[in-house]
Amino acid sequence: MTKQETVYVVSDSVGETAELMVKAVACQFFGQDVVIKHFSYVDDKQDINNVITASKYSHSIIAYTLVLQDLKQYLDHQAEEEGVIAVDLMYPLMDAFTQKFHMEPNRQPGKMRTLDENYFKRVEAIEFAVKYDDGQDVRGLKQADIVLIGVSRTSKTPLSMYLANKKFKVANVPLIPEVKPPQELFSIPKNKCVGLIISPEKLNQIRKQRLKNLGFTSPSNYASLDRILEELTCAENIMKKIGCPIIDVSNKAIEETADLILALFNKRGSFA
């Protein structure tokens, strides 16, 4: 039976970067037949002493990613003293960045994991916005960070997606006179909900253009001012009953409206 070689992966975070690098190199020598032992979240010299001792007595290599300079220097020194091979997988590239871009690294452990977590939170928020768009499933209202309500064509969906890209879980519900609003709107915290209103004239223009884009040329109740006034009156009554903040989106870009929503969020610390 072939003896399995061991490599100690040392990191001040989880150590995924070092592990992937070790596996890539190991494939050139042993296939996948290498044992990787982790020393993760290393933050003091005793941790380093432990891995140096383990590596020395098992005749193993240390592969490490330590961004804190004093720990890196201590590991290098102790490894040399004990005759252990320790390979820095991060500093050579960091030094190249410093020389080329004339910048110093911030030396914060776990930055990659933070970036990964932000990415997955953003993806989760986008999936949430798609699932709970346009009142498709009112069960999402209690799970949402923000709930947008308003009549058709008040930018609820694009706002939901924009805020989702900022990692907020957003649900939106259309308000229609003939359809009773979901009871969940009245049971969630009112500061989690944001009402979107718009001037009748602006909405009339938007809806006419929408119908034109869809190929409708004959007059439609959807774009008539009487119908629009009825919808807006009904929507505002619901918003007042809920007691939620209301934003007029008549002449605002998506980004501007989103900033106002987030300002409300930050002012209260939370919509919840």
Side-chain angles (χ1 to χ4, degrees):
M1 184 175 178
T2 304
K3 175 181 177 290
Q4 283 188 311
E5 300 296 342
T6 300
V7 176
Y8 287 89
V9 166
V10 180
S11 176
D12 39 28
S13 185
V14 177
E16 301 113 314
T17 304
E19 180 178 352
L20 287 172
M21 190 66 182
V22 169
K23 285 181 176 179
V25 173
C27 283
Q28 303 299 319
F29 295 88
F30 318 110
Q32 291 293 334
D33 201 27
V34 63
V35 176
I36 296 176
K37 294 189 176 180
H38 285 269
F39 276 73
S40 301
Y41 300 107
V42 170
D43 60 4
D44 60 33
K45 292 179 179 179
Q46 186 55 52
D47 290 336
I48 289 174
N49 290 336
N50 292 340
V51 72
I52 292 287
T53 301
S55 182
K56 179 179 179 180
Y57 286 100
S58 61
H59 306 288
S60 303
I61 292 173
I62 295 173
Y64 69 90
T65 52
L66 296 172
V67 298
L68 298 176
Q69 199 162 21
D70 58 337
L71 289 181
K72 169 201 159 39
Q73 290 173 347
Y74 184 76
L75 191 154
D76 286 341
H77 178 266
Q78 292 303 106
E80 186 176 358
E81 287 283 309
E82 298 296 333
V84 172
I85 296 175
V87 182
D88 184 346
L89 301 178
M90 185 170 287
Y91 260 73
L93 189 55
M94 287 174 63
D95 287 344
F97 270 57
T98 297
Q99 291 175 29
K100 178 63 179 177
F101 304 119
H102 308 292
M103 298 172 63
E104 288 296 322
N106 55 35
R107 303 186 193 280
Q108 293 180 16
K111 288 292 285 183
M112 180 61 75
R113 173 156 286 272
T114 300
L115 290 173
D116 288 344
E117 287 174 356
N118 285 336
Y119 169 77
F120 287 115
K121 284 181 180 178
R122 185 176 295 109
V123 170
E124 184 182 4
I126 291 171
E127 290 176 345
F128 186 94
V130 172
K131 183 176 182 179
Y132 298 110
D133 181 45
D134 207 31
Q136 293 181 70
D137 188 344
V138 295
R139 290 175 298 180
L141 300 185
K142 290 185 178 180
Q143 303 170 36
D145 297 317
I146 304 168
V147 177
L148 303 177
I149 59 174
V151 302
S152 173
R153 314 314 296 176
T154 48
S155 302
K156 296 185 299 300
T157 296
L159 265 172
S160 295
M161 298 306 298
Y162 184 89
L163 291 166
N165 273 284
K166 293 183 177 292
K167 302 187 291 293
F168 288 92
K169 292 181 179 179
V170 186
N172 72 77
V173 178
L175 300 180
I176 305 167
E178 294 79 13
V179 178
K180 188 176 181 180
Q183 191 57 42
E184 286 81 357
L185 280 178
F186 302 95
S187 60
I188 61 174
K190 63 182 180 182
N191 291 333
K192 178 193 279 192
C193 187
V194 178
L196 305 175
I197 61 171
I198 189 170
S199 73
E201 295 76 19
K202 183 70 174 179
L203 187 54
N204 178 250
Q205 293 173 13
I206 292 171
R207 289 190 175 182
K208 281 182 176 179
Q209 186 60 49
R210 172 66 173 166
L211 291 172
K212 183 178 179 181
N213 292 342
L214 292 172
F216 293 99
T217 55
S218 57
S220 168
N221 189 43
Y222 175 71
S224 73
L225 273 175
D226 287 342
R227 172 61 181 181
I228 286 171
L229 288 169
E230 179 189 3
E231 288 187 36
L232 291 174
T233 300
C234 176
E236 288 192 53
N237 287 338
I238 293 170
M239 293 171 193
K240 288 174 183 176
K241 186 176 179 180
I242 294 171
C244 63
I246 298 173
I247 296 176
D248 188 338
V249 301
S250 300
N251 297 299
K252 292 182 177 66
I254 298 297
E255 296 83 357
E256 188 179 358
T257 305
D259 286 344
L260 289 172
I261 292 171
L262 295 179
L264 287 169
F265 182 91
N266 292 327
K267 185 177 180 181
R268 295 170 172 83
S270 171
F271 278 98

